[in-house]
Amino acid sequence: MLTIGTLAKKTGTKVQTIRYYEQIGLMPEPGRTEGGQRRYGDAELDRLSFVRHARQLGFSLDAIRELLDLSDHPGKSCAEADAIARRQLKQVERRLARLEALRTELKRMVHECSGGQTSDCRVLEVLRDHSECLTDHEEIGA
Amino acid sequence: MLTIGTLAKKTGTKVQTIRYYEQIGLMPEPGRTEGGQRRYGDAELDRLSFVRHARQLGFSLDAIRELLDLSDHPGKSCAEADAIARRQLKQVERRLARLEALRTELKRMVHECSGGQTSDCRVLEVLRDHSECLTDHEEIGA
DNA sequence: CTTGAACCTACAGTAGCTAGAGGATGTAGA
DNA sequence: TCTACATCCTCTAGCTACTGTAGGTTCAAG
């Protein structure tokens, strides 16, 4: 039986985050001691590991909920899980493309900075100059 | 004199966002009509374009505040603006590296999915398998 | 039996917006 | 001039995915 702190350490999660996952129904309500403290078993450890791993891969909590559901029903078709992963891959690739464009523009800004006064600063100039703006109004690849 | 809606269209910003920027002091309080509606001039258009462009490049609102301050003082040294841009570039490069790793792992997951039942699903298996976990507990490249 | 680390709940705050309610204003056409 | 209606106003709450704090309780070691 693991305390919440031990579970946190084993999975690289903060204690608060585990309680948060419980609150939003991503983790089940665990057993408690007489004094009211949470105690976890291996099933919960596995589940939380799954969640954290998926988070590291950038899956949203909603996507993870779906994946957990699929994982809980071994007879279901794999196609859904695959679709979720593909969606995630696409998103990652879109972000990559976006970030690569940003890197190019930032590099240009930085390398052309003369080091003089801000009135001649290439960084500020680029930001001011509307015509060099990225044409679309897409969100950044946060 | 531009209404807030026109300013929004010209800069690809939502009306609410402009009011939000005013609220947090990123945009100045504009003049008003007798009836209390905001009216903007070219200075505000330029400032908002600057902000949006910087946002598209991934600068935080705090960084943008600094950049605007530098931009407002043409005599200051360019070094600070350069430093901010370099910091941003570094962050973008860190995110890129992270996302590339994610892409690799996601691709592997997706391509190895057999299309059968979830019990054999490679996607779920990878997520379940702790040993294949990314070793660090870093945040995702959100 | 005491100490102190770890636990508990509840609530507030983070970034950067976005959405909605409920009402006022401004402008174009009849 | 009147009317319709798009746009504006303020205010509040919500979003994601946590994180932090306050004030109090429990557990396990010594």
Side-chain angles (χ1 to χ4, degrees), chain A residues 53 55-56 71 73-78 82 86 102 105 110 113 116-119 121 126 128 136 140-142, chain B residues 53 55-56 71 73-78 82 86 102 105 110 113 116-119 121 126 128 136 140-142:
Chain A
H53 194 177
R55 282 298 295 141
Q56 282 171 352
S71 179
H73 299 90
K76 271 195 182 175
S77 160
C78 172
D82 193 51
R86 273 175 206 279
L102 294 189
E105 198 162 351
V110 161
C113 172
Q117 292 188 316
T118 56
S119 49
C121 183
V126 169
R128 264 194 295 263
D136 52 357
I140 57 162
Chain B
H53 194 177
R55 283 297 295 141
Q56 283 171 352
S71 178
H73 298 90
K76 271 195 181 173
S77 162
C78 169
D82 192 52
R86 272 175 206 280
L102 294 189
E105 197 161 352
V110 162
C113 173
Q117 291 188 318
T118 56
S119 49
C121 183
V126 169
R128 263 195 296 264
D136 51 358
I140 58 161

mmCIF file of all heavy atoms in Angstrom, chain A residues 53 55-56 71 73-78 82 86 102 105 110 113 116-119 121 126 128 136 140-142, chain B residues 53 55-56 71 73-78 82 86 102 105 110 113 116-119 121 126 128 136 140-142:
data_model
loop_
_atom_site.group_PDB
_atom_site.id
_atom_site.type_symbol
_atom_site.label_atom_id
_atom_site.label_comp_id
_atom_site.label_asym_id
_atom_site.label_seq_id
_atom_site.Cartn_x
_atom_site.Cartn_y
_atom_site.Cartn_z
ATOM 1 N N HIS A 53 2.672 9.158 -18.782
ATOM 2 C CA HIS A 53 3.366 8.888 -20.030
ATOM 3 C C HIS A 53 2.638 9.551 -21.201
ATOM 4 O O HIS A 53 3.234 10.194 -22.059
ATOM 5 C CB HIS A 53 3.482 7.375 -20.239
ATOM 6 C CG HIS A 53 4.464 6.994 -21.310
ATOM 7 N ND1 HIS A 53 4.770 5.708 -21.622
ATOM 8 C CD2 HIS A 53 5.203 7.762 -22.145
ATOM 9 C CE1 HIS A 53 5.643 5.688 -22.613
ATOM 10 N NE2 HIS A 53 5.928 6.924 -22.942
ATOM 11 N N ARG A 55 0.668 12.101 -21.025
ATOM 12 C CA ARG A 55 0.828 13.555 -20.899
ATOM 13 C C ARG A 55 2.163 14.002 -21.477
ATOM 14 O O ARG A 55 2.259 15.033 -22.142
ATOM 15 C CB ARG A 55 0.746 13.984 -19.420
ATOM 16 C CG ARG A 55 -0.636 14.044 -18.847
ATOM 17 C CD ARG A 55 -1.519 15.067 -19.545
ATOM 18 N NE ARG A 55 -1.048 16.423 -19.360
ATOM 19 C CZ ARG A 55 -1.063 17.353 -20.304
ATOM 20 N NH1 ARG A 55 -1.515 17.084 -21.508
ATOM 21 N NH2 ARG A 55 -0.631 18.568 -20.052
ATOM 22 N N GLN A 56 3.212 13.191 -21.197
ATOM 23 C CA GLN A 56 4.527 13.545 -21.722
ATOM 24 C C GLN A 56 4.520 13.521 -23.248
ATOM 25 O O GLN A 56 5.292 14.236 -23.877
ATOM 26 C CB GLN A 56 5.573 12.566 -21.191
ATOM 27 C CG GLN A 56 5.976 12.874 -19.762
ATOM 28 C CD GLN A 56 6.840 11.777 -19.169
ATOM 29 O OE1 GLN A 56 7.025 10.723 -19.766
ATOM 30 N NE2 GLN A 56 7.364 12.031 -17.988
ATOM 31 N N SER A 71 -8.376 1.145 -23.021
ATOM 32 C CA SER A 71 -7.479 0.222 -22.327
ATOM 33 C C SER A 71 -8.246 -0.663 -21.350
ATOM 34 O O SER A 71 -7.872 -1.808 -21.097
ATOM 35 C CB SER A 71 -6.425 1.035 -21.592
ATOM 36 O OG SER A 71 -5.549 0.203 -20.894
ATOM 37 N N HIS A 73 -11.163 -1.841 -21.886
ATOM 38 C CA HIS A 73 -12.009 -2.768 -22.626
ATOM 39 C C HIS A 73 -11.202 -3.474 -23.703
ATOM 40 O O HIS A 73 -11.247 -3.062 -24.875
ATOM 41 C CB HIS A 73 -13.200 -2.030 -23.239
ATOM 42 C CG HIS A 73 -14.084 -1.394 -22.213
ATOM 43 N ND1 HIS A 73 -13.887 -0.113 -21.754
ATOM 44 C CD2 HIS A 73 -15.147 -1.873 -21.520
ATOM 45 C CE1 HIS A 73 -14.808 0.175 -20.839
ATOM 46 N NE2 HIS A 73 -15.579 -0.876 -20.682
ATOM 47 N N PRO A 74 -10.521 -4.535 -23.335
ATOM 48 C CA PRO A 74 -9.546 -5.182 -24.226
ATOM 49 C C PRO A 74 -10.173 -5.783 -25.480
ATOM 50 O O PRO A 74 -9.461 -6.056 -26.435
ATOM 51 C CB PRO A 74 -8.959 -6.300 -23.356
ATOM 52 C CG PRO A 74 -9.338 -5.956 -21.952
ATOM 53 C CD PRO A 74 -10.629 -5.218 -22.049
ATOM 54 N N GLY A 75 -11.493 -5.960 -25.496
ATOM 55 C CA GLY A 75 -12.114 -6.554 -26.669
ATOM 56 C C GLY A 75 -12.402 -5.549 -27.775
ATOM 57 O O GLY A 75 -12.605 -5.907 -28.925
ATOM 58 N N LYS A 76 -12.420 -4.276 -27.429
ATOM 59 C CA LYS A 76 -12.755 -3.230 -28.405
ATOM 60 C C LYS A 76 -11.731 -3.130 -29.530
ATOM 61 O O LYS A 76 -10.587 -3.544 -29.384
ATOM 62 C CB LYS A 76 -12.819 -1.873 -27.695
ATOM 63 C CG LYS A 76 -14.203 -1.540 -27.144
ATOM 64 C CD LYS A 76 -14.264 -0.063 -26.808
ATOM 65 C CE LYS A 76 -15.605 0.315 -26.200
ATOM 66 N NZ LYS A 76 -15.616 1.717 -25.760
ATOM 67 N N SER A 77 -12.158 -2.507 -30.594
ATOM 68 C CA SER A 77 -11.250 -2.345 -31.723
ATOM 69 C C SER A 77 -10.149 -1.348 -31.391
ATOM 70 O O SER A 77 -10.361 -0.331 -30.740
ATOM 71 C CB SER A 77 -12.010 -1.847 -32.941
ATOM 72 O OG SER A 77 -11.120 -1.270 -33.854
ATOM 73 N N CYS A 78 -9.020 -1.640 -31.908
ATOM 74 C CA CYS A 78 -7.825 -0.833 -31.704
ATOM 75 C C CYS A 78 -7.867 0.447 -32.528
ATOM 76 O O CYS A 78 -7.091 1.365 -32.317
ATOM 77 C CB CYS A 78 -6.635 -1.698 -32.113
ATOM 78 S SG CYS A 78 -5.073 -0.898 -32.186
ATOM 79 N N ASP A 82 -5.714 4.103 -32.237
ATOM 80 C CA ASP A 82 -4.841 4.488 -33.331
ATOM 81 C C ASP A 82 -5.214 5.876 -33.856
ATOM 82 O O ASP A 82 -4.347 6.713 -34.116
ATOM 83 C CB ASP A 82 -4.971 3.442 -34.444
ATOM 84 C CG ASP A 82 -3.882 3.594 -35.482
ATOM 85 O OD1 ASP A 82 -2.710 3.657 -35.079
ATOM 86 O OD2 ASP A 82 -4.209 3.672 -36.679
ATOM 87 N N ARG A 86 -2.914 9.133 -33.982
ATOM 88 C CA ARG A 86 -2.662 9.804 -35.252
ATOM 89 C C ARG A 86 -2.997 11.293 -35.183
ATOM 90 O O ARG A 86 -2.295 12.142 -35.724
ATOM 91 C CB ARG A 86 -3.490 9.163 -36.376
ATOM 92 C CG ARG A 86 -2.804 7.993 -37.030
ATOM 93 C CD ARG A 86 -3.713 7.309 -38.053
ATOM 94 N NE ARG A 86 -3.326 5.916 -38.198
ATOM 95 C CZ ARG A 86 -2.298 5.502 -38.958
ATOM 96 N NH1 ARG A 86 -1.586 6.379 -39.637
ATOM 97 N NH2 ARG A 86 -1.993 4.227 -39.028
ATOM 98 N N LEU A 102 9.201 29.839 -36.752
ATOM 99 C CA LEU A 102 9.539 30.817 -35.718
ATOM 100 C C LEU A 102 11.039 30.885 -35.509
ATOM 101 O O LEU A 102 11.619 31.954 -35.399
ATOM 102 C CB LEU A 102 8.882 30.430 -34.392
ATOM 103 C CG LEU A 102 7.372 30.472 -34.345
ATOM 104 C CD1 LEU A 102 6.895 30.294 -32.925
ATOM 105 C CD2 LEU A 102 6.860 31.779 -34.904
ATOM 106 N N GLU A 105 12.718 32.877 -38.169
ATOM 107 C CA GLU A 105 12.522 34.322 -38.043
ATOM 108 C C GLU A 105 13.293 34.890 -36.852
ATOM 109 O O GLU A 105 13.914 35.955 -36.939
ATOM 110 C CB GLU A 105 11.025 34.653 -37.938
ATOM 111 C CG GLU A 105 10.751 36.116 -38.250
ATOM 112 C CD GLU A 105 9.285 36.391 -38.588
ATOM 113 O OE1 GLU A 105 8.503 35.433 -38.748
ATOM 114 O OE2 GLU A 105 8.928 37.570 -38.694
ATOM 115 N N VAL A 110 17.891 37.946 -34.431
ATOM 116 C CA VAL A 110 19.010 37.972 -33.496
ATOM 117 C C VAL A 110 20.326 38.224 -34.218
ATOM 118 O O VAL A 110 21.165 39.001 -33.776
ATOM 119 C CB VAL A 110 19.066 36.643 -32.718
ATOM 120 C CG1 VAL A 110 20.420 36.439 -32.095
ATOM 121 C CG2 VAL A 110 17.975 36.623 -31.656
ATOM 122 N N CYS A 113 21.029 41.848 -35.428
ATOM 123 C CA CYS A 113 21.054 42.927 -34.430
ATOM 124 C C CYS A 113 22.444 43.540 -34.394
ATOM 125 O O CYS A 113 23.440 42.864 -34.186
ATOM 126 C CB CYS A 113 20.706 42.367 -33.050
ATOM 127 S SG CYS A 113 20.935 43.554 -31.727
ATOM 128 N N GLY A 116 23.650 48.302 -31.422
ATOM 129 C CA GLY A 116 23.696 49.742 -31.166
ATOM 130 C C GLY A 116 22.561 50.218 -30.276
ATOM 131 O O GLY A 116 22.298 49.620 -29.227
ATOM 132 N N GLN A 117 21.882 51.269 -30.710
ATOM 133 C CA GLN A 117 20.760 51.793 -29.953
ATOM 134 C C GLN A 117 19.469 51.108 -30.404
ATOM 135 O O GLN A 117 19.402 50.559 -31.498
ATOM 136 C CB GLN A 117 20.626 53.294 -30.204
ATOM 137 C CG GLN A 117 21.771 54.087 -29.629
ATOM 138 C CD GLN A 117 21.483 55.571 -29.736
ATOM 139 O OE1 GLN A 117 21.020 56.040 -30.770
ATOM 140 N NE2 GLN A 117 21.748 56.307 -28.661
ATOM 141 N N THR A 118 18.458 51.181 -29.528
ATOM 142 C CA THR A 118 17.209 50.519 -29.870
ATOM 143 C C THR A 118 16.573 51.105 -31.126
ATOM 144 O O THR A 118 15.776 50.444 -31.782
ATOM 145 C CB THR A 118 16.186 50.597 -28.726
ATOM 146 O OG1 THR A 118 15.981 51.951 -28.394
ATOM 147 C CG2 THR A 118 16.652 49.826 -27.520
ATOM 148 N N SER A 119 16.938 52.365 -31.439
ATOM 149 C CA SER A 119 16.352 52.967 -32.634
ATOM 150 C C SER A 119 16.795 52.232 -33.900
ATOM 151 O O SER A 119 16.126 52.280 -34.921
ATOM 152 C CB SER A 119 16.733 54.446 -32.718
ATOM 153 O OG SER A 119 18.119 54.606 -32.527
ATOM 154 N N CYS A 121 17.583 48.902 -33.726
ATOM 155 C CA CYS A 121 17.564 47.494 -33.365
ATOM 156 C C CYS A 121 16.746 46.678 -34.346
ATOM 157 O O CYS A 121 15.572 46.945 -34.595
ATOM 158 C CB CYS A 121 17.000 47.311 -31.963
ATOM 159 S SG CYS A 121 17.028 45.595 -31.431
ATOM 160 N N VAL A 126 11.882 44.393 -36.785
ATOM 161 C CA VAL A 126 11.134 43.274 -37.350
ATOM 162 C C VAL A 126 9.745 43.191 -36.723
ATOM 163 O O VAL A 126 8.746 42.979 -37.403
ATOM 164 C CB VAL A 126 11.890 41.944 -37.129
ATOM 165 C CG1 VAL A 126 10.993 40.757 -37.471
ATOM 166 C CG2 VAL A 126 13.143 41.890 -37.979
ATOM 167 N N ARG A 128 8.083 45.584 -35.446
ATOM 168 C CA ARG A 128 7.277 46.737 -35.836
ATOM 169 C C ARG A 128 6.764 46.611 -37.253
ATOM 170 O O ARG A 128 5.685 47.089 -37.581
ATOM 171 C CB ARG A 128 8.131 48.018 -35.737
ATOM 172 C CG ARG A 128 7.938 48.762 -34.433
ATOM 173 C CD ARG A 128 8.504 50.155 -34.527
ATOM 174 N NE ARG A 128 9.955 50.124 -34.711
ATOM 175 C CZ ARG A 128 10.836 50.248 -33.737
ATOM 176 N NH1 ARG A 128 10.438 50.406 -32.492
ATOM 177 N NH2 ARG A 128 12.127 50.225 -33.975
ATOM 178 N N ASP A 136 -0.563 34.419 -41.861
ATOM 179 C CA ASP A 136 -1.777 33.929 -41.228
ATOM 180 C C ASP A 136 -1.868 34.398 -39.772
ATOM 181 O O ASP A 136 -0.913 34.870 -39.194
ATOM 182 C CB ASP A 136 -1.840 32.407 -41.283
ATOM 183 C CG ASP A 136 -0.554 31.804 -40.743
ATOM 184 O OD1 ASP A 136 0.372 32.570 -40.388
ATOM 185 O OD2 ASP A 136 -0.462 30.583 -40.676
ATOM 186 N N ILE A 140 0.157 30.326 -31.907
ATOM 187 C CA ILE A 140 1.529 29.863 -31.835
ATOM 188 C C ILE A 140 1.559 28.409 -31.392
ATOM 189 O O ILE A 140 0.614 27.893 -30.826
ATOM 190 C CB ILE A 140 2.374 30.681 -30.855
ATOM 191 C CG1 ILE A 140 1.720 30.654 -29.457
ATOM 192 C CG2 ILE A 140 2.569 32.060 -31.349
ATOM 193 C CD1 ILE A 140 2.653 31.035 -28.374
ATOM 194 N N GLY A 141 2.661 27.765 -31.652
ATOM 195 C CA GLY A 141 2.791 26.353 -31.303
ATOM 196 C C GLY A 141 3.131 26.159 -29.846
ATOM 197 O O GLY A 141 3.833 25.251 -29.476
ATOM 198 N N ALA A 142 2.600 26.998 -29.059
ATOM 199 C CA ALA A 142 2.791 27.083 -27.607
ATOM 200 C C ALA A 142 3.758 26.081 -27.017
ATOM 201 O O ALA A 142 3.485 24.947 -26.759
ATOM 202 C CB ALA A 142 1.472 26.972 -26.878
ATOM 203 N N HIS B 53 2.340 40.496 -33.533
ATOM 204 C CA HIS B 53 3.470 39.892 -34.225
ATOM 205 C C HIS B 53 4.382 39.177 -33.221
ATOM 206 O O HIS B 53 4.813 38.047 -33.435
ATOM 207 C CB HIS B 53 4.242 40.957 -35.005
ATOM 208 C CG HIS B 53 5.204 40.392 -35.996
ATOM 209 N ND1 HIS B 53 5.951 41.163 -36.833
ATOM 210 C CD2 HIS B 53 5.537 39.111 -36.279
ATOM 211 C CE1 HIS B 53 6.712 40.391 -37.594
ATOM 212 N NE2 HIS B 53 6.480 39.129 -37.270
ATOM 213 N N ARG B 55 3.507 38.034 -30.335
ATOM 214 C CA ARG B 55 2.786 36.857 -29.834
ATOM 215 C C ARG B 55 2.920 35.690 -30.816
ATOM 216 O O ARG B 55 3.102 34.549 -30.404
ATOM 217 C CB ARG B 55 1.294 37.169 -29.628
ATOM 218 C CG ARG B 55 0.975 37.958 -28.387
ATOM 219 C CD ARG B 55 1.329 37.219 -27.103
ATOM 220 N NE ARG B 55 0.532 36.023 -26.912
ATOM 221 C CZ ARG B 55 1.007 34.881 -26.426
ATOM 222 N NH1 ARG B 55 2.273 34.770 -26.087
ATOM 223 N NH2 ARG B 55 0.214 33.853 -26.288
ATOM 224 N N GLN B 56 2.822 36.017 -32.110
ATOM 225 C CA GLN B 56 2.960 34.963 -33.110
ATOM 226 C C GLN B 56 4.340 34.325 -33.060
ATOM 227 O O GLN B 56 4.507 33.163 -33.392
ATOM 228 C CB GLN B 56 2.697 35.520 -34.507
ATOM 229 C CG GLN B 56 1.214 35.712 -34.773
ATOM 230 C CD GLN B 56 0.948 36.458 -36.060
ATOM 231 O OE1 GLN B 56 1.872 36.975 -36.694
ATOM 232 N NE2 GLN B 56 -0.296 36.531 -36.452
ATOM 233 N N SER B 71 11.130 49.755 -27.113
ATOM 234 C CA SER B 71 10.729 50.406 -28.348
ATOM 235 C C SER B 71 10.327 51.861 -28.108
ATOM 236 O O SER B 71 10.486 52.721 -28.964
ATOM 237 C CB SER B 71 9.566 49.619 -28.953
ATOM 238 O OG SER B 71 9.114 50.219 -30.127
ATOM 239 N N HIS B 73 11.760 53.788 -25.998
ATOM 240 C CA HIS B 73 12.937 54.582 -25.622
ATOM 241 C C HIS B 73 14.067 54.334 -26.606
ATOM 242 O O HIS B 73 14.954 53.522 -26.346
ATOM 243 C CB HIS B 73 13.373 54.227 -24.198
ATOM 244 C CG HIS B 73 12.328 54.528 -23.170
ATOM 245 N ND1 HIS B 73 11.375 53.603 -22.788
ATOM 246 C CD2 HIS B 73 12.059 55.655 -22.474
ATOM 247 C CE1 HIS B 73 10.574 54.151 -21.889
ATOM 248 N NE2 HIS B 73 10.958 55.393 -21.664
ATOM 249 N N PRO B 74 14.037 55.065 -27.730
ATOM 250 C CA PRO B 74 14.946 54.809 -28.840
ATOM 251 C C PRO B 74 16.424 55.000 -28.490
ATOM 252 O O PRO B 74 17.297 54.545 -29.212
ATOM 253 C CB PRO B 74 14.527 55.834 -29.902
ATOM 254 C CG PRO B 74 13.191 56.321 -29.471
ATOM 255 C CD PRO B 74 13.167 56.216 -27.987
ATOM 256 N N GLY B 75 16.715 55.682 -27.384
ATOM 257 C CA GLY B 75 18.111 55.929 -27.036
ATOM 258 C C GLY B 75 18.767 54.773 -26.305
ATOM 259 O O GLY B 75 19.986 54.666 -26.264
ATOM 260 N N LYS B 76 17.937 53.899 -25.747
ATOM 261 C CA LYS B 76 18.458 52.777 -24.947
ATOM 262 C C LYS B 76 19.277 51.796 -25.776
ATOM 263 O O LYS B 76 19.133 51.709 -26.991
ATOM 264 C CB LYS B 76 17.291 52.020 -24.315
ATOM 265 C CG LYS B 76 16.875 52.563 -22.964
ATOM 266 C CD LYS B 76 15.993 51.533 -22.265
ATOM 267 C CE LYS B 76 15.525 52.037 -20.908
ATOM 268 N NZ LYS B 76 14.538 51.122 -20.299
ATOM 269 N N SER B 77 20.075 51.021 -25.088
ATOM 270 C CA SER B 77 20.879 50.030 -25.782
ATOM 271 C C SER B 77 20.014 48.902 -26.336
ATOM 272 O O SER B 77 19.048 48.468 -25.713
ATOM 273 C CB SER B 77 21.902 49.432 -24.831
ATOM 274 O OG SER B 77 22.381 48.214 -25.355
ATOM 275 N N CYS B 78 20.433 48.445 -27.470
ATOM 276 C CA CYS B 78 19.724 47.387 -28.179
ATOM 277 C C CYS B 78 19.940 46.027 -27.532
ATOM 278 O O CYS B 78 19.247 45.062 -27.821
ATOM 279 C CB CYS B 78 20.248 47.394 -29.608
ATOM 280 S SG CYS B 78 19.793 46.033 -30.636
ATOM 281 N N ASP B 82 17.876 42.358 -27.781
ATOM 282 C CA ASP B 82 18.570 41.208 -28.347
ATOM 283 C C ASP B 82 18.542 40.032 -27.378
ATOM 284 O O ASP B 82 18.300 38.886 -27.776
ATOM 285 C CB ASP B 82 20.012 41.613 -28.662
ATOM 286 C CG ASP B 82 20.711 40.579 -29.511
ATOM 287 O OD1 ASP B 82 20.142 40.203 -30.555
ATOM 288 O OD2 ASP B 82 21.812 40.138 -29.130
ATOM 289 N N ARG B 86 17.003 36.387 -27.951
ATOM 290 C CA ARG B 86 17.840 35.191 -27.824
ATOM 291 C C ARG B 86 17.229 34.186 -26.862
ATOM 292 O O ARG B 86 17.257 32.982 -27.085
ATOM 293 C CB ARG B 86 19.249 35.572 -27.328
ATOM 294 C CG ARG B 86 20.187 35.920 -28.447
ATOM 295 C CD ARG B 86 21.534 36.410 -27.906
ATOM 296 N NE ARG B 86 22.163 37.285 -28.871
ATOM 297 C CZ ARG B 86 22.839 36.847 -29.945
ATOM 298 N NH1 ARG B 86 22.953 35.563 -30.166
ATOM 299 N NH2 ARG B 86 23.372 37.695 -30.782
ATOM 300 N N LEU B 102 8.998 13.581 -29.459
ATOM 301 C CA LEU B 102 7.613 13.128 -29.381
ATOM 302 C C LEU B 102 7.151 12.566 -30.703
ATOM 303 O O LEU B 102 6.513 11.523 -30.764
ATOM 304 C CB LEU B 102 6.697 14.282 -28.994
ATOM 305 C CG LEU B 102 6.876 14.873 -27.606
ATOM 306 C CD1 LEU B 102 5.755 15.835 -27.313
ATOM 307 C CD2 LEU B 102 6.929 13.783 -26.570
ATOM 308 N N GLU B 105 8.397 9.081 -31.242
ATOM 309 C CA GLU B 105 7.726 8.060 -30.447
ATOM 310 C C GLU B 105 6.294 7.834 -30.940
ATOM 311 O O GLU B 105 5.826 6.699 -31.031
ATOM 312 C CB GLU B 105 7.730 8.446 -28.959
ATOM 313 C CG GLU B 105 7.418 7.253 -28.073
ATOM 314 C CD GLU B 105 7.853 7.452 -26.625
ATOM 315 O OE1 GLU B 105 8.529 8.453 -26.317
ATOM 316 O OE2 GLU B 105 7.482 6.602 -25.807
ATOM 317 N N VAL B 110 2.067 4.647 -33.831
ATOM 318 C CA VAL B 110 1.045 4.587 -34.879
ATOM 319 C C VAL B 110 1.368 3.532 -35.922
ATOM 320 O O VAL B 110 0.499 2.768 -36.345
ATOM 321 C CB VAL B 110 0.902 5.986 -35.525
ATOM 322 C CG1 VAL B 110 0.212 5.878 -36.855
ATOM 323 C CG2 VAL B 110 0.135 6.903 -34.589
ATOM 324 N N CYS B 113 0.797 -0.182 -34.935
ATOM 325 C CA CYS B 113 -0.545 -0.600 -34.535
ATOM 326 C C CYS B 113 -1.055 -1.634 -35.522
ATOM 327 O O CYS B 113 -1.111 -1.418 -36.727
ATOM 328 C CB CYS B 113 -1.478 0.601 -34.513
ATOM 329 S SG CYS B 113 -3.185 0.142 -34.240
ATOM 330 N N GLY B 116 -5.924 -4.591 -34.725
ATOM 331 C CA GLY B 116 -6.758 -5.653 -34.161
ATOM 332 C C GLY B 116 -7.565 -5.180 -32.966
ATOM 333 O O GLY B 116 -8.244 -4.154 -33.034
ATOM 334 N N GLN B 117 -7.513 -5.948 -31.890
ATOM 335 C CA GLN B 117 -8.228 -5.575 -30.677
ATOM 336 C C GLN B 117 -7.336 -4.719 -29.792
ATOM 337 O O GLN B 117 -6.118 -4.731 -29.919
ATOM 338 C CB GLN B 117 -8.599 -6.851 -29.915
ATOM 339 C CG GLN B 117 -9.650 -7.685 -30.630
ATOM 340 C CD GLN B 117 -10.112 -8.803 -29.735
ATOM 341 O OE1 GLN B 117 -9.307 -9.437 -29.056
ATOM 342 N NE2 GLN B 117 -11.397 -9.047 -29.713
ATOM 343 N N THR B 118 -7.986 -3.985 -28.877
ATOM 344 C CA THR B 118 -7.192 -3.095 -28.024
ATOM 345 C C THR B 118 -6.221 -3.881 -27.149
ATOM 346 O O THR B 118 -5.237 -3.339 -26.681
ATOM 347 C CB THR B 118 -8.089 -2.249 -27.115
ATOM 348 O OG1 THR B 118 -8.909 -3.105 -26.350
ATOM 349 C CG2 THR B 118 -8.926 -1.294 -27.913
ATOM 350 N N SER B 119 -6.531 -5.171 -26.934
ATOM 351 C CA SER B 119 -5.628 -5.962 -26.100
ATOM 352 C C SER B 119 -4.257 -6.132 -26.767
ATOM 353 O O SER B 119 -3.259 -6.344 -26.099
ATOM 354 C CB SER B 119 -6.237 -7.336 -25.803
ATOM 355 O OG SER B 119 -6.700 -7.921 -27.008
ATOM 356 N N CYS B 121 -3.152 -3.708 -28.909
ATOM 357 C CA CYS B 121 -2.871 -2.403 -29.513
ATOM 358 C C CYS B 121 -1.511 -1.881 -29.087
ATOM 359 O O CYS B 121 -1.222 -1.741 -27.909
ATOM 360 C CB CYS B 121 -3.952 -1.396 -29.130
ATOM 361 S SG CYS B 121 -3.708 0.186 -29.919
ATOM 362 N N VAL B 126 2.417 0.793 -25.608
ATOM 363 C CA VAL B 126 3.514 1.740 -25.383
ATOM 364 C C VAL B 126 3.200 2.638 -24.190
ATOM 365 O O VAL B 126 4.045 2.904 -23.345
ATOM 366 C CB VAL B 126 3.766 2.595 -26.639
ATOM 367 C CG1 VAL B 126 4.704 3.742 -26.321
ATOM 368 C CG2 VAL B 126 4.342 1.746 -27.755
ATOM 369 N N ARG B 128 1.278 1.946 -21.733
ATOM 370 C CA ARG B 128 1.262 1.167 -20.499
ATOM 371 C C ARG B 128 2.668 0.826 -20.035
ATOM 372 O O ARG B 128 2.942 0.744 -18.850
ATOM 373 C CB ARG B 128 0.498 -0.144 -20.724
ATOM 374 C CG ARG B 128 -0.943 -0.084 -20.269
ATOM 375 C CD ARG B 128 -1.520 -1.460 -20.181
ATOM 376 N NE ARG B 128 -1.580 -2.115 -21.495
ATOM 377 C CZ ARG B 128 -2.660 -2.118 -22.271
ATOM 378 N NH1 ARG B 128 -3.759 -1.512 -21.882
ATOM 379 N NH2 ARG B 128 -2.639 -2.728 -23.424
ATOM 380 N N ASP B 136 13.117 11.425 -18.454
ATOM 381 C CA ASP B 136 12.969 12.613 -17.606
ATOM 382 C C ASP B 136 11.493 12.925 -17.372
ATOM 383 O O ASP B 136 10.607 12.410 -18.043
ATOM 384 C CB ASP B 136 13.665 13.814 -18.243
ATOM 385 C CG ASP B 136 13.224 13.993 -19.673
ATOM 386 O OD1 ASP B 136 12.425 13.165 -20.168
ATOM 387 O OD2 ASP B 136 13.671 14.955 -20.301
ATOM 388 N N ILE B 140 5.826 18.896 -21.294
ATOM 389 C CA ILE B 140 5.712 18.750 -22.735
ATOM 390 C C ILE B 140 5.932 20.082 -23.420
ATOM 391 O O ILE B 140 5.830 21.135 -22.811
ATOM 392 C CB ILE B 140 4.331 18.206 -23.152
ATOM 393 C CG1 ILE B 140 3.246 19.144 -22.625
ATOM 394 C CG2 ILE B 140 4.144 16.812 -22.668
ATOM 395 C CD1 ILE B 140 1.955 18.974 -23.340
ATOM 396 N N GLY B 141 6.221 20.014 -24.675
ATOM 397 C CA GLY B 141 6.502 21.232 -25.445
ATOM 398 C C GLY B 141 5.237 21.970 -25.821
ATOM 399 O O GLY B 141 5.147 22.576 -26.854
ATOM 400 N N ALA B 142 4.330 21.877 -24.980
ATOM 401 C CA ALA B 142 2.979 22.464 -25.099
ATOM 402 C C ALA B 142 2.792 23.378 -26.271
ATOM 403 O O ALA B 142 3.172 24.499 -26.309
ATOM 404 C CB ALA B 142 2.594 23.168 -23.824
#
